Amino acid sequence: MDTAIIIEKSVLIVAVFALTMLMAMYATLAERKVAAWLQDRIGPNRAGKGGILQPLADGLKLFSKEEFLPDTPNKFLFVAGPAISMSVALMTSAVIPWGDKLEIAGRTVIMQATDIDVALLYVFGVLSVGVYGIMIGAWASNNKFSLMSAMRASSQMISYEVAMGLSIIALLMMTGTLSLREIAAQQSGMNWNVFYQPVGFLIFLVCSFAETNRTPFDLAECEAELIGGYHTEYSSMRMGFYLFAEYASMFISSTILAVLYFGAYNYPGMQWAVENWGVNVANIIGFLALFAKLCFFIFFYMWVRWTIPRFRYDQLMRLGWQMLIPLAIANIFVTAICILWSDGNLF
Amino acid sequence: MALQTMSLSGRKKEVSNKKMTFLERLYLWTIIKGMMITIGHLFTRKVTIKYPEQVRERSKVYRGQHLLKRDEQGRENCTACGLCALSCPAEAITMTASERKPSEKHLYREEKYASVYEINMLRCIFCGLCEEACPKDAIYLTESKVLVPSQYDREDFIFGKDKLVMPLTEAMKNAQLKNAN
Ligand code: SF4
Ligand code: SF4
């Protein structure tokens, strides 16, 4: 492996890392702003112009809080919990294709930190590990309510992972690949997967809400029943990590939604742009297009959060097991029939 | 009408336990409807008044911070009779009376004056009864829009004569105005 590749990849990874952190930071501000606007308020507007420095102020506040360690037999796990949550949230971003390729100094640079051909499986694997962050942290807290919250979170995540996986299978049958890069490339033009897999998209979307623990599936956090949530015993920056991880994973799951179903970095006229303006310009526009799409999804998450109340726990489980999973399986069958039919193999 | 179905307030609503239709049971459609409502609110004008920069319009009869008046010659009106303190429902006013010395004739209008006059702004409810009680036209609530500013110490909320007595310049201005008329 030559140095150029190492440098290229390091730069990419750092850029992606910085982007994720920045987006997670500003998602906290955006959430508060969107909440305020939807409720006819103005929202935080004192720190910096229009509240632009609010995330820094929040971070500073968390940093300056006392780092409290409860009387727990598992100090190591207590510290490991938020770390796992955070690193898992960040790890997923490694396989996301941010664009097709750039040509810098005669080299073709792929705009993706790493292109593994089981990227989708990797995403799922890492996502499922995310439960451990919550579960371990809550368990090590030595607090019944935290544990109860973690039970809720993990059983919900595991239930919805099934439906999520099944909805993805239909997509895989169509694309025939697990590589996110190829899935992105296949959607060039306006061949966005959402047009071919509307039901799959819907299921995936609902499951993403459950996976990121957001309203209407945010039962893991509940002041009235559980005092706080799985992070009740946490304070200072450890608490901050949990909250931050939630926003980071929201950013990542928005990105995955955009990549899988909304054409990734493709935009109408990309081919024309490549021919007329060159690869670099076309791909930077592509990156911006992806960025716009994922921003929309982040907004969508918030929009839903401030619109509908949460489900009851039994409603949540019924929705997952009795509606989404059968629907996802039906979707697989319909997709299979359609594929056979379009190939002319049916009858 | 049966007693059970009667509505005295006219606002009684029958609880309906009707079965949800298929569309409602799907949630999706109702969620979309709800989201359309909230997105509308994104673009409505916000009613917030950004306080320190913008001040809410006050009513015409609004009265704020007190003023101990001087007459046209710049002398303090108050004679420390204590009627304001007596009338104050919040017991916000305290004072110490002193006798005027011959050399202080230009400072105080009456022979007795208040050497200390304090209003506890944490207690005051701005009712204006002190103003009504005063026989010497000495205390008035002004139209000042400045509310009592926040402080760290309780002592800072007890306004003494330094904050309450009308500035001399203003007394002179009043005198000039009177002469002009
Ligand atoms: S305004 Fe009312 S409460 Fe305030 S000092 Fe005067 S009498 Fe007392
Ligand atoms: S302000 Fe008026 S009522 Fe109060 S002590 Fe002075 S003269 Fe008397």
Side-chain angles (χ1 to χ4, degrees), chain A residues 56-306:
Chain A
L56 291 182
D58 288 343
L60 200 68
K61 179 211 150 208
L62 275 174
F63 261 119
S64 59
K65 291 280 166 177
E66 183 194 352
E67 192 111 35
F68 177 76
L69 205 64
D71 188 14
T72 163
N74 256 309
K75 297 228 172 8
F76 174 71
L77 290 185
F78 186 79
V79 179
I84 295 176
S85 268
M86 194 67 199
S87 34
V88 162
L90 290 174
M91 261 162 77
T92 334
S93 59
V95 292
I96 289 169
W98 298 99
D100 188 23
K101 54 182 182 280
L102 290 177
E103 270 164 12
I104 300 168
R107 286 179 49 87
T108 315
V109 178
I110 299 171
M111 289 170 75
Q112 186 179 17
T114 163
D115 176 26
I116 46 179
D117 42 10
V118 287
L120 208 46
L121 276 187
Y122 168 83
V123 168
F124 268 87
V126 172
L127 272 186
S128 359
V129 178
V131 186
Y132 286 93
I134 292 176
M135 196 66 207
I136 287 176
W139 186 68
S141 294
N142 199 10
N143 176 329
K144 285 180 199 126
F145 291 110
S146 295
L147 189 60
M148 217 127 59
S149 157
M151 293 304 297
R152 282 185 183 189
S154 48
S155 61
Q156 157 188 334
M157 278 183 173
I158 288 166
S159 311
Y160 277 78
E161 229 155 59
V162 181
M164 198 179 206
L166 287 175
S167 74
I168 281 295
I169 287 180
L171 185 75
L172 292 186
M173 286 158 59
M174 247 181 60
T175 57
T177 172
L178 276 166
S179 152
L180 284 177
R181 186 175 163 70
E182 266 172 57
I183 291 178
Q186 281 174 6
Q187 298 179 70
S188 66
M190 278 304 275
N191 278 328
W192 294 1
N193 283 333
V194 65
F195 301 129
Y196 303 101
Q197 283 287 336
V199 180
F201 167 68
L202 207 65
I203 298 168
F204 192 85
L205 184 70
V206 174
C207 295
S208 315
F209 277 92
E211 289 290 312
T212 46
N213 266 325
R214 290 195 50 96
T215 329
F217 307 111
D218 61 341
L219 286 131
E221 257 174 82
C222 181
E223 278 85 16
E225 298 155 20
L226 300 171
I227 307 174
Y230 49 87
H231 46 52
T232 304
E233 296 287 341
Y234 283 86
S235 62
S236 185
M237 219 37 209
R238 289 198 198 119
M239 163 95 166
F241 262 42
Y242 267 133
L243 302 183
F244 213 60
E246 186 189 322
Y247 283 96
S249 62
M250 187 168 94
F251 166 70
I252 296 298
S253 91
S254 299
T255 316
I256 289 175
L257 268 166
V259 168
L260 285 184
Y261 288 98
F262 273 75
Y265 49 79
N266 293 298
Y267 52 94
M270 188 169 182
Q271 211 52 46
W272 183 87
V274 171
E275 279 154 21
N276 289 287
W277 295 338
V279 181
N280 288 352
V281 178
N283 275 295
I284 287 169
I285 299 177
F287 169 70
L288 293 179
L290 176 60
F291 195 71
K293 287 170 195 170
L294 73 91
C295 282
F296 169 76
F297 276 112
I298 291 179
F299 171 74
F300 187 78
Y301 271 107
M302 293 169 184
W303 184 8
V304 167
R305 169 162 181 194
W306 298 105

Side-chain angles (χ1 to χ4, degrees), chain A residues 37-38 40-41 46 303 307, chain B residues 35 38 41 44 46 53:
Chain A
W37 289 334
L38 291 181
D40 291 348
R41 294 184 286 114
R46 293 284 145 172
W303 184 8
T307 299
Chain B
M35 289 176 69
T38 43
H41 281 268
T44 50
K46 314 299 178 216
E53 292 95 44

